[in-house]
């Protein structure tokens, strides 16, 4: 019996929608994708947990229940949820401010951070506030990820060199590394360089080589994705055979074997107060990264995602992680693309990936004791360097100097001060630039293009004008920040035209007029009336017109409102009366 559930339920729990049509073919494709992503995710999960300053197993824990919960509540069919480099770095920064790395308090803070992030994302989703993430512009995100990638790569050099180093920004890290160059462990360096070089080659060269040797493309792709696991296996085996840990090679050490533990976040008001700001930043950045990947992959198959439901899916994933020994997670770019390319058809591929990681947690963790930290550092370096993209500086410089300033400020602040200050500076500068631009909107004096009913900027086109009529087109909604600017510009223009009889405010781009702007329009009307000049409006949009009709503005307007600019000019020059109308 096929029971049709209410749309409100299937919208909130998408698995009830796609799960009803799940078949054997989808199961086969999802299972294969899960195998490939699991192979890729095992070393990544361990590495990202260490990047966050947490025990390696927490990376695996953060990739089990969160993936299952996203499969239930998320809408993307290919997004692979789990620990990612940037969020791991931000976690280390946030938690490191309130606890010492490696302590129980540090772990508790990371778990609490996941819970707070989940609550924030869930709240945004329930109240459909996903639009707030739009305040994080793409150039700022690109700049932040580029700078974060550099910091992450630099932070892993200490594991490649086998030295101790610390720092919250690039400058501190480089200074600390330079101070400890005399302590380099050469065996560790050999392992790190070998692992890094091999992983770079595997990423670019292994698949073409295998195909050239006659291997089928699909199998060659699986083999190439398995490259990091092979590097982990080889370096772990060599370290064990030659007891390299006795020669100063740092290894992962004992990794607990078994199911993810049941944990709980701290409800200490002091800890919440210390972490809530970081939780908001991590949530928004993780959501923006996740939803952009999800939308890109969905578009390739003409599917769609619901951003607000994505917030709920990611929120549930983070809350689930907080109760199973995890830390903040989001959708990862690299493994989502791998998941998509491997043929994942539904979110069930993520659930199967979680099952594979659960098996790894139960049976494989004892094998990780001799895994060199240098190998995991190499895994991180190879992954994050693909995120570093300085082309955004060239693009923004050519297109928009204001966006260039926002990107540059984000990169410099992130590199020189820290990740949280960097992204905050970028967002703040982007908002300030937007406010500055909108506070001085583009305003053009327009005239009639000969032989047409079109009106264009007198500075750009050969147009017909009348000394008795001034038409000003404002290309921005009118609100408190630009209302006074509008007044001043119109007064200046009127003062320069002694023969003026009519001023027409042309409003095709005005989508809203707030109370401050309304008062400015009333002031303009009274000022022009005292000068013997009539004030008119043209091409006012319907919603704006509706709002203006709620007050007595039109009762005091000493001119008219015209449907089109051409009608306004005809009426004021030829004399026929036009009925005021809204566009």
């Amino acid at each position: 019996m096929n029971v049709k559930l209410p749309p409100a339920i299937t919208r909130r729990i998408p698995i009830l929608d796609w799960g009803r049509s799940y078949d054997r073919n989808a199961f086969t494709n999802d299972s294969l994708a899960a195998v490939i992503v699991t192979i890729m995710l095992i070393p990544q999960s361990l590495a990202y947990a260490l990047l966050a300053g947490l025990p390696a197993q927490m990376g695996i824990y953060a990739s089990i229940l969160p993936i299952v919960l996203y499969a239930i509540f998320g809408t993307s069919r290919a997004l692979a949820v789990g620990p990612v480099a940037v969020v791991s770095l931000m976690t280390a920064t946030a938690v490191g401010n309130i606890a010492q790395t490696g302590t129980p308090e540090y772990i508790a803070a990371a778990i609490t951070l996941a819970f707070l992030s989940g609550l924030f994302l869930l709240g945004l989703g329930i109240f459909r506030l996903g639009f707030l993430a739009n305040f994080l512009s793409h150039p700022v995100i690109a700049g932040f990820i580029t700078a974060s990638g550099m910091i992450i790569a630099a932070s892993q050099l200490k594991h490649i060199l086998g030295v101790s180093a610390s720092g919250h920004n690039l400058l501190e890290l480089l200074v600390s590394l330079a101070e400890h160059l005399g302590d380099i462990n050469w065996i560790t360096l050999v392992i790190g360089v070998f692992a890094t070089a091999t992983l770079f080659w595997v990423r670019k060269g292994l698949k073409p080589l295998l195909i050239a040797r006659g291997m089928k493309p699909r199998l060659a792709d699986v083999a190439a994705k398995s490259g990091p696991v092979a590097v982990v296996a080889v370096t772990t085996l060599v370290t064990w055979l030659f007891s390299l840990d006795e020669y100063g090679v740092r290894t992962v050490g004992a990794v607990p074997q078994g199911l993810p533990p049941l944990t709980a976040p701290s409800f200490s008001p002091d800890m919440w107060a210390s972490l809530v700001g970081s939780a908001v930043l991590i949530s928004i950045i993780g959501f923006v990264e996740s939803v952009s990947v999800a939308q890109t992959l969905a578009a390739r198959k003409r599917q769609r995602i619901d951003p607000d439901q994505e917030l709920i899916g990611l929120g549930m994933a983070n809350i689930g992680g907080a109760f199973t020994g995890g830390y903040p997670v989001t959708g990862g770019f690299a493994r989502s693309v791998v998941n998509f390319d491997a043929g994942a058809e539904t979110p069930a591929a993520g659930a199967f990936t979680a099952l594979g990681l659960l098996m790894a947690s139960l049976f494989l963790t004892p094998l990780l004791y001799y895994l060199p930290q240098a190998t995991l550092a190499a895994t991180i370096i190879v992954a994050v360097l693909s995120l570093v993209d300085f082309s955004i500086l060239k693009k923004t410089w050519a297109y928009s100097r204001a966006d260039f300033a926002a990107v540059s400020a984000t990169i410099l602040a992130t590199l020189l001060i820290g990740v949280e200050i960097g992204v905050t500076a970028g967002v703040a500068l982007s908002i300030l630039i937007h406010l500055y631009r909108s506070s001085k909107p583009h305003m053009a004096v327009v005239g009639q293009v000969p032989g047409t009913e079109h009106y264009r900027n007198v500075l750009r086109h050969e147009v017909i004008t009348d000394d008795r009529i001034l038409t000003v087109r404002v290309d921005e909604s009118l609100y408190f920040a630009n209302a006074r600017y509008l007044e001043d510009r119109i007064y200046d223009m009127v003062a320069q035209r002694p023969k003026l009889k009519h001023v027409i405010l042309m409003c095709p781009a005005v989508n809203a007029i707030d109370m401050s702007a309304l008062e400015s329009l009333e002031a303009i009307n009274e000022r022009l009336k005292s000068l013997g000049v009539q004030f008119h409006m043209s091409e006012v949009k319907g919603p704006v017109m509706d709002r203006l009709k709620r007050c007595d503005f039109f009762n005091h307007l000493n001119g008219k409102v015209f449907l089109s600019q051409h009608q306004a000019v005809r009426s004021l020059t030829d004399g026929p009366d036009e009925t005021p109308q809204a566009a």
Side-chain angles (χ1 to χ4, degrees), residues 466 468-469 502 534 560 562 566-579:
D466 188 324
R468 298 169 300 170
I469 300 175
H502 303 280
Q534 287 193 310
K560 296 184 176 69
F562 297 93
H566 188 62
Q567 287 180 340
V569 172
R570 283 184 55 199
S571 174
L572 300 176
T573 55
D574 299 337
D577 187 39
E578 296 287 345
T579 302

Side-chain angles (χ1 to χ4, degrees), residues 198-261:
T198 304
L199 289 171
F200 271 119
W201 175 78
V202 164
R203 172 170 287 205
K204 298 292 184 181
L206 181 57
K207 182 178 178 180
L209 177 64
L210 294 176
I211 293 175
R213 296 290 177 87
M215 186 177 287
K216 294 181 179 180
R218 192 71 176 269
L219 189 58
D221 187 59
V222 174
K225 297 297 188 300
S226 304
V229 174
V231 172
V232 166
V234 169
T235 54
T236 301
L237 184 62
V238 169
T239 303
W240 173 66
L241 285 175
F242 296 98
S243 300
L244 296 182
D245 57 319
E246 297 178 4
Y247 295 91
V249 175
R250 297 172 185 169
T251 64
V252 171
V255 177
Q257 182 179 11
L259 297 172

Side-chain angles (χ1 to χ4, degrees), residues 502-513:
H502 303 280
V503 172
I504 307 172
L505 186 64
M506 188 176 174
C507 306
V510 177
N511 297 314
I513 297 176

Side-chain angles (χ1 to χ4, degrees), residues 504-532:
I504 307 172
L505 186 64
M506 188 176 174
C507 306
V510 177
N511 297 314
I513 297 176
D514 76 355
M515 193 65 196
S516 296
L518 174 62
E519 292 177 354
S520 288
L521 292 178
E522 291 173 341
I524 292 170
N525 180 63
E526 292 301 319
R527 177 77 172 268
L528 295 181
K529 185 177 181 180
S530 68
L531 296 174

Side-chain angles (χ1 to χ4, degrees), residues 77-150:
R77 306 234 169 166
L79 191 70
V81 172
V84 298
V86 172
V87 170
S88 297
L89 176 63
M90 295 183 72
T91 298
T93 302
V95 178
N97 290 329
I98 62 175
Q100 185 69 32
T101 303
T103 61
E105 291 77 13
Y106 189 95
I107 295 173
I111 291 172
T112 304
L113 185 63
F115 182 69
L116 290 176
S117 297
L119 285 181
F120 182 72
L121 289 165
L122 189 61
L124 290 180
I126 291 174
F127 294 105
R128 307 188 73 80
L129 298 175
F131 70 90
L132 292 175
N134 295 335
F135 288 100
L136 208 57
S137 69
H138 172 71
V140 168
I141 282 287
F144 173 72
I145 289 177
T146 291
S148 296
M150 295 175 63

Side-chain angles (χ1 to χ4, degrees), residues 431-450:
I431 294 174
L432 286 174
I433 289 172
H434 169 73
L435 291 175
Y436 176 78
R437 284 172 172 168
S438 63
S439 70
K440 295 186 175 182
H442 179 259
M443 296 173 61
V445 176
V446 301
Q448 184 180 8
V449 178

Side-chain angles (χ1 to χ4, degrees), residues 29-43 218-219 221-226 229 335 337-339 341-343 353:
N29 292 331
D30 287 343
S31 298
L32 178 59
V35 170
I36 297 173
V37 175
T38 300
I39 292 172
M40 177 183 184
L41 196 51
I42 290 173
R218 192 71 176 269
L219 189 58
D221 187 59
V222 174
K225 297 297 188 300
S226 304
V229 174
R335 58 177 171 268
V337 172
V338 169
N339 196 36
D341 291 341
T353 299

Side-chain angles (χ1 to χ4, degrees), residues 41-63 82-85 87-89 91-92 101-102 106-107 110 156 159 252 255 325-329 335 373 376 380:
L41 196 51
I42 290 173
Q44 275 194 357
S45 297
L46 298 170
Y48 291 152
L50 293 179
L51 173 62
L54 297 165
Q57 67 271 14
M58 287 187 69
I60 294 180
Y61 298 160
S63 303
V84 298
V87 170
S88 297
L89 176 63
T91 298
T101 303
Y106 189 95
I107 295 173
Q156 297 307 296
H159 298 301
V252 171
V255 177
Y327 69 100
V329 298
R335 58 177 171 268
Q373 292 186 13
L376 294 180
I380 294 175

